[in-house]
Amino acid sequence: MVEVTIDAGSGFCFGVVNAIESAERELKHTDELYCLGDLVHNSLEMERLQTLGLRTIRHETLRELPGRTVLLRAHGEPPSTYRLAQQYRIKIVDATCPVVLQLQRRIHRCFLETKDSGAQLVIYGKKGHAEVNGLVGQTNGTAIVIEKPEDLDMLDFRRNIFLFSQTTKPLDGFGQIVEAIGLRIAPDVKFSSFDTICRQVANRLPNIREFAARHDWIYFVAGRQSSNGKMLFEECKKANPHTVFITEASGITEPLPSSVRTVGVCGATSTPKWLMEEVAARIREINR
C-alpha cells in the first residue's frame, strides 16, 4: 500500500476559518443568512454551508433584502456596500479578514493624504477580484490596478507613486513590480512601496514546493474558481511533474503506477481539511 500524507500547511487560512465560523455561529440562531458572493471558493464546502441555510447573493440583490442579515466574506467590501446596507436597514455580519481590513484602512489613509497632490495610488492584484474591488473602493475608484509588469505602461513615472499589494499575491511577483517601477521612475519623483502580502498565504509557496518535491505523486485539491488554488497548483507542478489537480475524491478513478510509493495531498487556502481527508481515504482504498 502507498504511503499517503496530507500537507499540514494546506487548507483554510485564518481569514476563511473566521468567515466560516461567523456563518455557522449566525446560522445557529436563524435558518436564513445571505452572503455576498461565495463564502469560500470551494463548491463542496459551499454545499455544506447551504444545507445549514446560507444563501449566496450578488450585490444587485441587496436592494431586495431590507431588514435581512447579510454576511460579508473574508475578501472585504468597498464602502459603497456598507452605505447600501445602511440605506436598506440590512444587518451586516462583517467577516472581513483582519489582514484585509488593516490594508483597507492603510490604503484609505494614503488616499486621503495624497489625493490633492496628483500622486498615483497603485494596487498590485487581480483586476475584478473581490478583495481588489474592496481596496479600490477605499480610493473612490481612483486606484490603478496592476497585474503584471506589462501593465506599468498605465502609470505616469513623472508623478509620485504609492504601491500596495493584494494580500494573496506572490512575494516574487510583487518584487518584480517594485523593481520595474524603480527602474522607470523619474529621479526627482517619490516612489513608496508597501509589502502588504499576508505571510500566512505567502509562506505556503515555499512550503508547498518542498512538500511536493518529497513525494512520488501529488494530488492537489481545490475548487476550479480558486485563484489561490491555481497559483499553488502551478507551483506544485513545477516542483513535481506528477501533480494532478482534482476537486473531490471521486476525481480519482484509477490506481497509481506501481512505482509510486509516497503520495502527498495538498490544497489551497479555500480547501477544507475534511475534503483532503476524503481524498486521502480514496487513495488508500483504490491503491490497496
Side-chain angles (χ1 to χ4, degrees):
M1 180 181 289
V2 297
E3 177 187 336
V4 184
T5 304
I6 298 175
D7 177 28
S10 289
F12 293 152
C13 63
F14 168 78
V16 173
V17 169
N18 177 63
I20 290 175
E21 288 180 348
S22 296
E24 291 174 334
R25 189 163 51 246
E26 192 70 23
L27 287 166
K28 287 180 180 179
H29 309 292
T30 179
D31 57 358
E32 185 182 72
L33 176 64
Y34 298 90
C35 181
L36 270 177
D38 285 343
L39 185 59
V40 57
H41 290 151
N42 186 280
S43 59
L44 296 180
E45 178 65 8
M46 284 303 301
E47 287 175 11
R48 185 187 74 83
L49 292 168
Q50 286 163 6
T51 63
L52 299 178
L54 185 69
R55 299 291 177 264
T56 302
I57 60 169
R58 298 167 62 88
H59 287 76
E60 305 85 73
T61 314
L62 275 178
R63 294 175 174 81
E64 303 170 12
L65 300 172
R68 308 291 180 86
T69 301
V70 174
L71 182 137
L72 306 185
R73 54 191 178 163
H75 301 86
E77 286 290 327
S80 57
T81 298
Y82 294 87
R83 290 194 294 268
L84 198 60
Q86 184 177 26
Q87 180 182 349
Y88 287 92
R89 307 182 315 281
I90 293 170
K91 176 189 173 184
I92 289 293
V93 177
D94 199 340
T96 302
C97 172
V99 177
V100 174
L101 190 59
Q102 182 183 38
L103 175 54
Q104 287 184 344
R105 290 168 178 163
R106 288 186 66 180
I107 287 178
H108 184 64
R109 186 164 58 249
C110 183
F111 167 68
L112 293 177
E113 293 171 351
T114 64
K115 65 178 181 177
D116 296 327
S117 68
Q120 300 159 100
L121 203 155
V122 182
I123 297 170
Y124 169 54
K126 182 179 179 181
K127 296 174 184 175
H129 188 280
E131 180 190 328
V132 173
N133 290 342
L135 299 178
V136 173
Q138 304 302 319
T139 70
N140 288 347
T142 61
I144 302 169
V145 180
I146 298 296
E147 292 192 20
K148 53 189 182 300
E150 291 79 3
D151 295 336
L152 293 176
D153 289 339
M154 292 188 290
L155 304 183
D156 182 350
F157 294 97
R158 298 164 299 175
R159 294 162 52 201
N160 292 347
I161 295 175
F162 295 86
L163 173 69
F164 295 85
S165 176
Q166 178 183 341
T167 61
T168 54
K169 295 297 286 182
L171 281 166
D172 54 354
F174 181 72
Q176 291 173 9
I177 296 295
V178 171
E179 182 179 4
I181 293 177
L183 290 172
R184 298 176 65 177
I185 197 80
D188 57 342
V189 171
K190 182 178 181 180
F191 168 44
S192 298
S193 62
F194 306 96
D195 177 358
T196 51
I197 295 170
C198 175
R199 287 306 184 267
Q200 188 183 13
V201 175
N203 289 341
R204 293 194 181 197
L205 272 174
N207 292 343
I208 212 163
R209 288 172 187 147
E210 189 274 333
F211 178 81
R214 59 185 164 88
H215 291 86
D216 298 330
W217 196 277
I218 293 291
Y219 280 110
F220 186 90
V221 193
R224 296 288 180 189
Q225 294 180 315
S226 171
S227 298
N228 172 260
K230 292 174 185 175
M231 183 265 292
L232 289 175
F233 170 69
E234 290 302 325
E235 293 302 320
C236 278
K237 193 82 172 175
K238 291 176 186 175
N240 187 335
H242 300 296
T243 297
V244 179
F245 188 105
I246 58 173
T247 58
E248 55 187 311
S250 62
I252 302 173
T253 58
E254 297 180 0
L256 291 164
S258 58
S259 59
V260 174
R261 292 288 180 266
T262 61
V263 181
V265 178
C266 52
T269 57
S270 55
T271 304
K273 287 285 187 184
W274 62 262
L275 181 54
M276 288 186 284
E277 289 168 356
E278 282 189 359
V279 168
R282 175 63 175 165
I283 296 168
R284 296 185 183 104
E285 176 188 15
I286 206 170
N287 291 282
R288 287 176 179 170

